[in-house]
Coordinates of all heavy atoms in Angstrom, one line a residue:
P292 N -43.0 18.4 -61.1 CA -41.9 18.6 -60.2 C -40.9 17.5 -60.4 O -41.2 16.3 -60.8 CB -42.5 18.5 -58.8 CG -44.0 18.8 -59.0 CD -44.3 18.3 -60.4
G293 N -39.6 17.7 -60.0 CA -38.6 16.7 -60.2 C -37.4 17.0 -59.3 O -37.5 17.9 -58.4
E294 N -36.3 16.3 -59.5 CA -35.1 16.5 -58.7 C -33.9 17.0 -59.6 O -32.8 16.9 -59.1 CB -34.7 15.1 -58.0 CG -35.7 14.6 -57.0 CD -35.9 15.6 -55.8 OE1 -34.9 16.2 -55.5 OE2 -37.0 15.7 -55.3
D295 N -34.2 17.5 -60.8 CA -33.2 17.9 -61.6 C -32.6 19.3 -61.1 O -33.3 20.0 -60.3 CB -33.6 18.0 -63.1 CG -34.9 18.9 -63.2 OD1 -35.9 18.5 -62.7 OD2 -34.8 20.0 -63.8
W296 N -31.5 19.7 -61.7 CA -30.8 20.9 -61.3 C -31.7 22.1 -61.5 O -31.8 23.0 -60.6 CB -29.5 21.1 -62.0 CG -28.8 22.3 -61.8 CD1 -27.9 22.6 -60.8 CD2 -28.9 23.6 -62.5 NE1 -27.4 23.9 -60.9 CE2 -28.0 24.5 -61.9 CE3 -29.6 23.9 -63.7 CZ2 -27.9 25.8 -62.4 CZ3 -29.5 25.2 -64.1 CH2 -28.7 26.2 -63.5
L297 N -32.3 22.2 -62.6 CA -33.1 23.4 -62.9 C -34.3 23.5 -62.0 O -34.7 24.7 -61.5 CB -33.6 23.4 -64.4 CG -34.4 24.6 -64.9 CD1 -33.6 25.9 -64.6 CD2 -34.8 24.5 -66.3
W298 N -35.0 22.4 -61.7 CA -36.1 22.5 -60.8 C -35.7 23.0 -59.4 O -36.4 23.8 -58.7 CB -36.8 21.1 -60.7 CG -38.0 21.1 -59.8 CD1 -38.0 20.7 -58.5 CD2 -39.3 21.6 -60.1 NE1 -39.3 20.8 -58.0 CE2 -40.1 21.4 -58.9 CE3 -39.9 22.2 -61.2 CZ2 -41.4 21.8 -58.9 CZ3 -41.2 22.6 -61.1 CH2 -42.0 22.4 -60.0
K299 N -34.6 22.5 -58.9 CA -34.1 22.9 -57.6 C -33.8 24.4 -57.6 O -34.1 25.1 -56.6 CB -32.9 22.1 -57.2 CG -33.2 20.7 -57.0 CD -31.9 19.9 -56.6 CE -32.2 18.4 -56.4 NZ -30.9 17.7 -56.1
I300 N -33.2 24.9 -58.7 CA -32.9 26.4 -58.8 C -34.2 27.2 -58.8 O -34.3 28.2 -58.1 CB -32.1 26.7 -60.0 CG1 -30.7 26.1 -59.9 CG2 -32.0 28.2 -60.3 CD1 -29.8 26.9 -58.9
I301 N -35.2 26.7 -59.5 CA -36.5 27.4 -59.6 C -37.1 27.5 -58.2 O -37.8 28.5 -57.9 CB -37.4 26.7 -60.6 CG1 -36.8 26.9 -62.0 CG2 -38.8 27.3 -60.5 CD1 -37.6 26.1 -63.1
Q302 N -37.0 26.5 -57.4 CA -37.6 26.5 -56.1 C -36.9 27.5 -55.1 O -37.6 28.0 -54.2 CB -37.5 25.1 -55.5 CG -38.3 24.0 -56.3 CD -39.7 24.4 -56.6 OE1 -40.5 24.7 -55.7 NE2 -40.0 24.4 -57.9
R303 N -35.7 27.8 -55.4 CA -34.9 28.6 -54.5 C -34.8 30.1 -55.0 O -34.6 31.0 -54.2 CB -33.5 28.1 -54.3 CG -33.5 26.8 -53.5 CD -32.1 26.3 -53.2 NE -31.3 25.9 -54.3 CZ -30.3 26.6 -54.9 NH1 -30.0 27.8 -54.3 NH2 -29.7 26.2 -55.9
K304 N -34.9 30.3 -56.3 CA -34.7 31.6 -56.8 C -35.9 32.1 -57.6 O -36.8 31.3 -58.0 CB -33.5 31.6 -57.8 CG -32.2 31.1 -57.1 CD -31.7 32.2 -56.2 CE -30.3 31.7 -55.6 NZ -29.8 32.7 -54.6
K305 N -35.9 33.4 -57.8 CA -37.0 34.0 -58.7 C -36.7 33.6 -60.1 O -35.6 33.2 -60.5 CB -36.9 35.5 -58.5 CG -37.3 36.0 -57.1 CD -37.2 37.5 -57.1 CE -37.5 38.0 -55.7 NZ -37.4 39.5 -55.6
P306 N -37.8 33.6 -60.9 CA -37.6 33.1 -62.3 C -36.5 33.8 -63.1 O -35.7 33.1 -63.8 CB -39.0 33.4 -63.0 CG -39.9 33.4 -61.8 CD -39.2 34.0 -60.6
K307 N -36.3 35.1 -63.0 CA -35.3 35.8 -63.7 C -33.9 35.4 -63.2 O -32.9 35.3 -63.9 CB -35.5 37.3 -63.7 CG -36.7 37.7 -64.5 CD -36.8 39.3 -64.5 CE -38.0 39.7 -65.4 NZ -38.1 41.2 -65.4
Q308 N -33.8 35.2 -61.9 CA -32.5 34.8 -61.3 C -32.2 33.4 -61.8 O -31.0 33.1 -62.1 CB -32.6 34.9 -59.8 CG -32.7 36.3 -59.2 CD -32.8 36.3 -57.7 OE1 -33.4 35.4 -57.1 NE2 -32.2 37.3 -57.1
A309 N -33.2 32.5 -61.8 CA -33.0 31.2 -62.3 C -32.6 31.2 -63.8 O -31.7 30.4 -64.2 CB -34.2 30.3 -62.1
A310 N -33.1 32.1 -64.5 CA -32.8 32.2 -66.0 C -31.3 32.6 -66.1 O -30.6 32.1 -67.0 CB -33.7 33.2 -66.7
I311 N -30.8 33.5 -65.3 CA -29.4 34.0 -65.4 C -28.5 32.8 -65.0 O -27.5 32.6 -65.7 CB -29.2 35.1 -64.4 CG1 -29.9 36.4 -64.9 CG2 -27.7 35.4 -64.2 CD1 -29.3 36.9 -66.2
A312 N -28.9 32.0 -64.0 CA -28.1 30.9 -63.6 C -28.0 29.9 -64.7 O -27.0 29.3 -65.0 CB -28.6 30.2 -62.3
L313 N -29.2 29.7 -65.4 CA -29.2 28.7 -66.5 C -28.5 29.2 -67.7 O -27.8 28.4 -68.4 CB -30.7 28.4 -66.9 CG -30.9 27.5 -68.1 CD1 -30.3 26.1 -67.8 CD2 -32.4 27.3 -68.3
A314 N -28.5 30.5 -68.0 CA -27.7 31.1 -69.1 C -26.2 30.9 -68.8 O -25.5 30.6 -69.8 CB -28.1 32.6 -69.2
N315 N -25.8 31.1 -67.6 CA -24.4 30.8 -67.2 C -24.1 29.4 -67.5 O -23.0 29.1 -68.1 CB -24.2 31.1 -65.7 CG -22.8 31.1 -65.3 OD1 -22.0 30.2 -65.7 ND2 -22.4 32.0 -64.5
R316 N -24.9 28.5 -67.1 CA -24.7 27.0 -67.4 C -24.7 26.7 -68.9 O -23.9 25.9 -69.3 CB -25.8 26.2 -66.7 CG -25.6 24.7 -66.6 CD -26.8 24.1 -65.9 NE -26.6 22.6 -65.8 CZ -26.2 22.0 -64.8 NH1 -25.8 22.7 -63.7 NH2 -26.1 20.7 -64.8
M317 N -25.6 27.4 -69.6 CA -25.6 27.2 -71.1 C -24.3 27.6 -71.7 O -23.8 27.0 -72.6 CB -26.8 27.9 -71.7 CG -28.1 27.3 -71.3 SD -29.5 28.4 -71.6 CE -29.3 28.7 -73.4
A318 N -23.7 28.7 -71.3 CA -22.5 29.2 -71.8 C -21.3 28.2 -71.5 O -20.5 28.0 -72.4 CB -22.1 30.6 -71.2
R319 N -21.3 27.7 -70.3 CA -20.3 26.7 -70.0 C -20.4 25.4 -70.8 O -19.5 24.8 -71.2 CB -20.3 26.4 -68.5 CG -20.1 27.6 -67.6 CD -20.0 27.1 -66.1 NE -19.9 28.2 -65.2 CZ -19.3 28.2 -64.0 NH1 -18.7 27.0 -63.6 NH2 -19.2 29.2 -63.2
T320 N -21.7 25.0 -71.0 CA -21.9 23.8 -71.8 C -21.5 24.1 -73.2 O -20.9 23.2 -73.9 CB -23.4 23.5 -71.7 OG1 -23.8 23.3 -70.4 CG2 -23.7 22.2 -72.5
A321 N -21.8 25.2 -73.8 CA -21.3 25.6 -75.1 C -19.8 25.5 -75.2 O -19.3 25.0 -76.2 CB -21.8 27.0 -75.5
Y322 N -19.1 26.0 -74.2 CA -17.7 25.9 -74.2 C -17.2 24.4 -74.3 O -16.3 24.1 -75.1 CB -17.1 26.5 -73.0 CG -15.6 26.2 -72.7 CD1 -14.6 27.0 -73.4 CD2 -15.3 25.3 -71.8 CE1 -13.3 26.7 -73.1 CE2 -13.9 25.0 -71.6 CZ -13.0 25.7 -72.2 OH -11.6 25.4 -72.0
A323 N -17.8 23.6 -73.5 CA -17.4 22.2 -73.5 C -17.7 21.5 -74.8 O -16.9 20.7 -75.3 CB -18.2 21.4 -72.3
L324 N -18.8 21.8 -75.4 CA -19.2 21.1 -76.7 C -18.2 21.6 -77.8 O -17.8 20.8 -78.6 CB -20.6 21.5 -77.1 CG -21.7 21.0 -76.2 CD1 -23.1 21.1 -76.8 CD2 -21.5 19.5 -75.7
M325 N -17.9 22.9 -77.8 CA -17.0 23.4 -78.9 C -15.6 22.9 -78.7 O -14.8 22.7 -79.7 CB -17.1 24.9 -78.9 CG -18.5 25.5 -79.3 SD -18.6 27.3 -79.3 CE -17.5 27.7 -80.6
K326 N -15.2 22.8 -77.4 CA -13.8 22.4 -77.2 C -13.6 20.9 -77.4 O -12.6 20.5 -78.0 CB -13.4 22.7 -75.7 CG -12.0 22.3 -75.4 CD -11.7 22.6 -73.9 CE -10.2 22.2 -73.6 NZ -9.9 22.6 -72.2
N327 N -14.6 20.1 -77.0 CA -14.4 18.6 -77.1 C -15.0 18.0 -78.3 O -15.0 16.8 -78.6 CB -15.1 17.9 -75.9 CG -14.4 18.4 -74.6 OD1 -13.2 18.6 -74.5 ND2 -15.2 18.5 -73.5

Side-chain angles (χ1 to χ4, degrees):
E294 296 297 326
D295 56 293
W296 174 87
L297 183 55
W298 180 260
K299 294 179 181 178
I300 289 290
I301 292 174
Q302 300 308 304
R303 293 188 290 108
K304 301 291 184 180
K305 297 179 180 179
K307 291 185 178 180
Q308 292 176 327
I311 291 295
L313 180 57
N315 187 320
R316 189 182 180 97
M317 290 163 60
R319 298 185 184 210
T320 305
Y322 167 83
L324 299 191
M325 296 177 69
K326 180 179 180 180
N327 301 324

